[in-house]
Amino acid sequence: MTGLAHFLDGLRCSTCKTLNMLWLDPARALVECRECGQSALVFPEIGEGQEEAR
């Protein structure tokens, strides 16, 4: 993974069940387990982090 990856604290890999080994690479939209190598694509929610207009 690149240097822009973010450690995902408190999450467990669904494949190997290892805690605190998941990393998010937002540039590649990928989460990867550093223990077993399992990876998954992620899809951000549209409008996430924005308040609704009133």
Side-chain angles (χ1 to χ4, degrees):
M1 285 205 170
T2 65
L4 297 176
H6 300 282
F7 171 67
L8 299 176
D9 189 30
L11 296 179
R12 188 177 300 274
C13 175
S14 64
T15 302
C16 69
K17 308 299 185 213
T18 304
L19 184 63
N20 295 332
M21 290 301 285
L22 296 178
W23 292 80
L24 169 66
D25 183 344
R28 294 180 6 196
L30 187 73
V31 171
E32 182 178 329
C33 177
R34 291 284 175 99
E35 182 70 22
C36 70
Q38 181 69 30
S39 62
L41 293 174
V42 294
F43 300 96
E45 186 174 325
I46 301 295
E48 182 178 317
Q50 298 176 1
E51 291 186 33
E52 291 183 30
R54 294 182 182 194

